[in-house]
Every structure is written in structure tokens, then in C-alpha cells.
Amino acid sequence: QVQVVESGGGLVQAGGSLRLSCTASGLTFYRYRMGWFRQAPGKEREGVSCVSSGGDRTLYADSVKGRFTISRDNAKNTLYLQLNSLKPEDTAMYYCAADRTPWNWGSYLSEGDFAYWGQGTQVTVSS
């Protein structure tokens, strides 16, 4: 059974930083593309970033480019998202997800490609 667990969310002032972590068990972590998504109140869930199975390729939403950094440690089965220069509009529930297909990659961050989801960690940015 695959389990995905996020942590690291919290309340931070605008301009501040947070680091989110995600651990995944029950799957061979290093084989799977991993992604971060977020959902703000009243809005649809959107893709934030993803990283290839080996960590050598990344994608970012335009809204977070230059501010967020995704990384992974395959030895620890852990995914990270460093959030810098946070803005109030970054306030959302952040979800970690694993691709449904080993070794998969795409040029577009599509929610439908991801099969295994965590429960989310809340990030709140005050102005």
C-alpha cells in the first residue's frame, strides 16, 4: 500500500520561507516522478512543480519560477519543496503526489498523471 505524507507547512509572513517535505512508502521511490500541487480556497488544484525520477529534470509553474525549488533525496525516499519570497497568493493546501507510471516524464504537469496523493500540508502567508 502506497503512503504519501507531507510536512513542513505553517504560517509565515510575506517574503518569508518554508521547506515542505514529503515521504513516500510502499513504492520504489527512485523510479517515480514526484510532484507538488496546491489548492487555494475556492480554486481548483493546480500543479506547482515536479521532478524526474533521477532528479535531473524539473518543471515549475510560471507563478513560482525563481522562488520555489523542488528536489529529492532518493536514498531517503523524500521529496522537498523550498518556498522562498512567499506571497499571500501562495496560501493553499500543498499536496505531494507520485506518478502512476515508473520512469515517466512529460513537458506538462498534469494532475491526471499522478496516482498517489498525500493528505496535504497547509501553507498560509500573511501580508
Side-chain angles (χ1 to χ4, degrees):
Q1 182 178 355
V2 177
Q3 283 194 312
V4 178
V5 180
E6 306 93 337
S7 62
L11 173 64
V12 63
Q13 288 188 332
S17 298
L18 283 173
R19 188 173 84 153
L20 307 184
S21 299
C22 165
T23 58
S25 59
L27 77 169
T28 309
F29 184 79
Y30 72 87
R31 294 179 179 178
Y32 291 86
R33 177 175 56 157
M34 298 294 295
W36 287 99
F37 295 78
R38 68 184 181 185
Q39 187 168 21
K43 295 187 176 181
E44 292 188 353
R45 189 156 57 185
E46 63 173 352
V48 174
S49 182
C50 67
V51 60
S52 61
S53 54
D56 56 326
R57 289 173 288 182
T58 57
L59 283 178
Y60 293 93
D62 287 343
S63 59
V64 307
K65 278 181 183 176
R67 300 188 299 121
F68 291 7
T69 303
I70 192 170
S71 62
R72 66 190 295 161
D73 186 337
N74 285 343
K76 296 181 179 180
N77 285 11
T78 302
L79 175 73
Y80 303 99
L81 186 68
Q82 179 68 41
L83 290 68
N84 295 332
S85 302
L86 281 161
K87 304 174 181 179
E89 51 263 44
D90 294 318
T91 295
M93 185 72 77
Y94 282 71
Y95 298 92
C96 171
D99 201 307
R100 67 177 68 251
T101 305
W103 315 115
N104 196 23
W105 182 251
S107 58
Y108 181 71
L109 185 51
S110 174
E111 185 174 329
D113 289 343
F114 292 79
Y116 309 104
W117 294 82
Q119 294 299 307
T121 186
Q122 178 68 38
V123 172
T124 302
V125 184
S126 63
S127 57

